[in-house]
Amino acid sequence: PEAAHVRPASAWADEVISLFYGDEVSHGSLLPWSKTHGSIRLRPNEVSVWAGYNGSGKTMLLNQIMLGVMAQGEKVCIASFEMTPKRLLYRMSRQASGSSEPSIQFIREFHSWTDNRLWLYDHGNLVNPDRLIAVCRYCREEMGIDHIVIDSLMKCGIATDDYNRQKSFVDQLCVHARDTGMHVHIVAHGRKGESETQRMDKHDVKGASEITDMVDNVYTLWRNKRKADQLPQR
């Protein structure tokens, strides 16, 4: 049976040409900011880690990105274990309206717009990793969802020092994305260092090193708090 999996390299010629010149060059969802359109795509079959220190704006940024993804016709599920659904949708309503106090009419129209675009996985504060993998499968196979956000890795029922289980869980998410075409977004936290005023890189992501080694994309967020403190308060 393994003989069927051993094929000449030339069998992939058309697919390689497609990577260079076909639809896959421009395949995937765009970020909301035009300056990124030539360099970043959220492609199917991939896993992205979004990492930052506490207060760096990871959830806020991903919410904005998911609003943009939905506007492009993609379906999204957010599994947030950091905040309640009503609080998450409160923040998304503000972002979608561009106002700190959107009108009741806008809020109702926004929530109507999210139908068949946005789903939330409503499950307390902690979840078993195996159950979350099952949720990913259900969302893709039964709902046709294109993007799932897991916010955050720390809330997935794995001890902070259980590196083997962290590695196994992320590996399962990578296999799921590769096999189904879903794009998986994982929110991760930064290790506590001497100061949060220093920019972080992928080596500062809390947990097993394989978390950033196995995934397709790693985005690190950093907020210049010194500069933010000097800005006028609104």
Side-chain angles (χ1 to χ4, degrees):
E2 292 305 319
H5 299 285
V6 181
R7 302 163 60 195
S10 59
W12 284 274
D14 288 342
E15 294 180 40
V16 174
I17 290 171
S18 179
L19 284 173
F20 277 104
Y21 302 106
D23 292 338
E24 293 195 44
V25 175
S26 58
H27 196 40
S29 303
L30 296 166
L31 299 187
W33 307 282
S34 58
K35 67 180 180 180
T36 66
H37 290 180
S39 56
I40 299 175
R41 294 269 182 165
L42 302 176
R43 294 186 173 87
N45 307 99
E46 293 188 353
V47 178
S48 295
V49 165
W50 303 82
Y53 298 120
N54 289 339
S56 61
K58 301 181 293 296
T59 298
M60 181 173 64
L61 180 76
L62 262 177
N63 285 350
Q64 190 69 46
I65 291 171
M66 291 303 111
L67 286 171
V69 164
M70 287 186 281
Q72 296 168 64
E74 301 278 273
K75 296 181 178 181
V76 172
C77 178
I78 299 177
S80 175
F81 311 112
E82 299 280 348
M83 63 179 66
T84 62
K86 68 179 181 181
R87 179 58 61 177
L88 186 149
L89 290 166
Y90 169 87
R91 295 179 65 174
M92 290 190 83
S93 296
R94 296 178 69 178
Q95 289 176 272
S97 67
S99 168
S100 60
E101 295 183 2
S103 68
I104 292 176
Q105 179 182 351
F106 178 88
I107 295 170
R108 293 198 183 281
E109 290 177 352
F110 169 66
H111 282 73
S112 178
W113 176 81
T114 63
D115 285 341
N116 206 37
R117 289 185 174 92
L118 176 63
W119 290 260
L120 304 182
Y121 177 52
D122 183 15
H123 184 285
N125 292 325
L126 291 174
V127 64
N128 182 284
D130 294 333
R131 175 176 288 186
L132 196 49
I133 293 294
V135 169
C136 290
R137 292 197 190 103
Y138 171 79
C139 286
R140 184 58 177 170
E141 295 170 5
E142 302 297 329
M143 311 291 290
I145 288 172
D146 305 291
H147 296 260
I148 187 164
V149 176
I150 299 172
D151 188 3
S152 67
L153 186 61
M154 286 180 61
K155 294 285 188 175
C156 291
I158 305 175
T160 56
D161 59 350
D162 192 346
Y163 293 160
N164 286 333
R165 199 173 187 199
Q166 292 171 20
K167 174 184 174 183
S168 175
F169 178 51
V170 173
D171 186 39
Q172 286 179 282
L173 291 174
C174 291
V175 170
H176 167 75
R178 183 194 65 202
D179 291 348
T180 67
M182 178 179 267
H183 192 118
V184 179
H185 304 265
I186 306 171
V187 176
H189 291 268
R191 290 190 177 93
K192 293 188 181 298
E194 295 181 2
S195 172
E196 293 186 357
T197 61
Q198 302 297 317
R199 294 178 185 270
M200 68 176 293
D201 59 28
K202 76 170 199 172
H203 302 291
D204 297 315
V205 177
K206 182 181 292 186
S209 61
E210 289 84 0
I211 292 172
T212 56
D213 291 340
M214 292 189 295
V215 300
D216 301 278
N217 314 289
V218 179
Y219 302 95
T220 58
L221 285 68
W222 177 74
R223 172 174 287 175
N224 189 333
K225 293 187 177 181
R226 290 177 179 172
K227 184 176 180 179
D229 291 340
Q230 294 172 0
L231 294 174
Q233 298 297 316
R234 296 182 180 181

